[in-house]
Amino acid sequence: MKKTTILVAALIAGGIPLHAFANEKFENVRVYFEQNLQDNDAEVKFEATGGDAGLATLKVTAPDGRTVIDFRAADSKLGMRHLILESPEPKNDGQVQKDFPAGAYKFSGSSVNGAVLEGQATLSHALPAASSFVRPAPDAKNIPVKGLKLSWGAVKNLSSTVVIIEHARSGRELKVNLPGDATSFSVPDGFLNPGTAYKLAIGTVMENGNASFIETQFTTLAQNTGGAKDPGADPKKAAAKTITEEEAKQIAFKAVPGKSADVTIEKKLGANRYVVEVITHAGKEVDVVIDMATGKVLAVEK
């Protein structure tokens, strides 16, 4: 028997776990790049999954040697098994690419039971071509709540296609991962509610996880044609709208250049108004109040 085998056997017999003798691999590590064409922003996402035991620490080193992540679950006995960490989403002008250069990222960490883990993932800045909306058309109105079949333009050489339908006010979201060659998806009856504005996003995803997203908005028919009533939507108010939330955002951006973080609806003096929260290029939050019927800017509140 070789000396190394005898040594390992002796360590185990003596109560010293094998992970104290050799490093283990993460169950999964990933780093990938995403862009949003509508907002013209970009971000990098990191993912790390440990083994059965939770992670006590996680460190990620960039290709240039800088530590870009240094996570510690210092006082947790269970740790964190799966971590997804995202960078901010600044304008896609090279800031993210500069801070997170392309190349191999080294992952190292430890689990709560003392195991040492290591792994590596490669980041590329190459992005897939974006798709295009076919049905519904961008900012379409009076979309039926039943029998809606989404469709979009084909893009070659994709790993997958992501479809997201979101109602921001209620937090309801439908997200599906489809094959890369998919160009349509039938929305399950019962998900959409009448008189409601939804955000629709289509993401084209490469094998390495890099993705390009396009976004738009559509509004369903105001009358009740089936499905449960959405507590966050008032069909009477929806029917009275003459501008959509997306149109309100564009009006707000003309008044205050920046990026929209949220859109809410309020009623004051008997009139419905949009309140568009705009994050300026300087990072300040500004509320732009817009009349829902006329699109007129009623106030800019800092």
Side-chain angles (χ1 to χ4, degrees):
M1 186 180 292
K2 294 183 179 180
K3 291 183 179 180
T4 302
T5 305
I6 295 173
L7 175 59
V8 173
L11 288 170
I12 297 174
I16 300 177
L18 184 59
H19 58 63
F21 181 75
N23 291 355
E24 300 178 5
K25 290 185 177 180
F26 287 89
E27 185 175 307
N28 180 54
V29 293
R30 298 178 68 205
V31 55
Y32 49 96
F33 189 63
E34 290 185 355
Q35 68 171 346
N36 183 307
L37 276 298
Q38 264 59 42
D39 294 337
N40 189 29
D41 59 27
E43 66 178 330
V44 166
K45 293 185 177 181
F46 292 85
E47 291 189 34
T49 305
D52 293 334
L55 294 171
T57 65
L58 173 66
K59 182 178 180 180
V60 180
T61 306
D64 56 11
R66 291 177 301 119
T67 298
V68 292
I69 293 175
D70 192 356
F71 166 84
R72 295 178 183 275
D75 298 320
S76 173
K77 293 182 179 180
L78 292 177
M80 302 298 293
R81 183 175 184 275
H82 183 201
L83 291 170
I84 301 178
L85 300 171
E86 304 179 4
S87 73
E89 302 174 50
K91 185 178 180 181
N92 190 11
D93 57 4
Q95 298 180 66
V96 175
Q97 293 91 328
K98 183 177 180 180
D99 201 34
F100 299 98
Y105 283 74
K106 295 181 179 180
F107 290 68
S108 59
S110 61
S111 65
V112 292
N113 64 8
V116 177
L117 296 93
E118 57 186 16
Q120 182 172 294
T122 300
L123 174 66
S124 168
H125 292 160
L127 287 160
S131 185
S132 56
F133 294 109
V134 176
R135 175 177 171 81
D139 300 316
K141 300 178 182 179
N142 298 324
I143 298 298
V145 297
K146 288 186 176 182
L148 175 59
K149 185 175 183 179
L150 308 174
S151 59
W152 54 90
V155 177
K156 294 181 179 180
N157 303 319
L158 297 179
S159 172
S160 62
T161 301
V162 179
V163 177
I164 304 173
I165 304 175
E166 177 187 3
H167 181 223
R169 291 184 62 201
S170 66
R172 297 184 67 208
E173 180 182 275
L174 175 66
K175 181 177 181 179
V176 292
N177 290 287
L178 303 172
D181 58 357
T183 56
S184 65
F185 173 72
S186 295
V187 180
D189 289 346
F191 176 77
L192 299 175
N193 290 292
T196 305
Y198 291 91
K199 180 188 291 185
L200 170 63
I202 304 292
T204 50
V205 186
M206 300 170 65
E207 185 67 35
N208 60 11
N210 288 7
S212 296
F213 282 87
I214 55 172
E215 290 183 354
T216 189
Q217 179 175 284
F218 66 88
T219 305
T220 54
L221 279 167
Q223 64 265 29
N224 191 352
T225 57
K229 183 178 180 180
D230 185 345
D234 185 336
K236 292 182 179 179
K237 290 182 179 179
K241 295 181 185 177
T242 58
I243 64 169
T244 66
E245 290 185 9
E246 187 62 33
E247 290 169 334
K249 286 183 182 181
Q250 299 308 315
I251 294 170
F253 293 154
K254 290 181 180 180
V256 180
K259 174 182 175 181
S260 175
D262 192 23
V263 180
T264 58
I265 298 174
E266 67 176 20
K267 187 170 185 178
K268 192 171 184 180
L269 300 177
N272 294 323
R273 318 188 310 178
Y274 282 119
V275 179
V276 182
E277 181 183 285
V278 176
I279 307 299
T280 69
H281 298 313
K284 297 182 179 180
E285 294 185 6
V286 178
D287 288 340
V288 181
V289 182
I290 299 170
D291 188 284
M292 290 175 62
T294 65
K296 181 180 178 181
V297 176
L298 302 176
V300 176
E301 302 171 352
K302 299 181 180 181

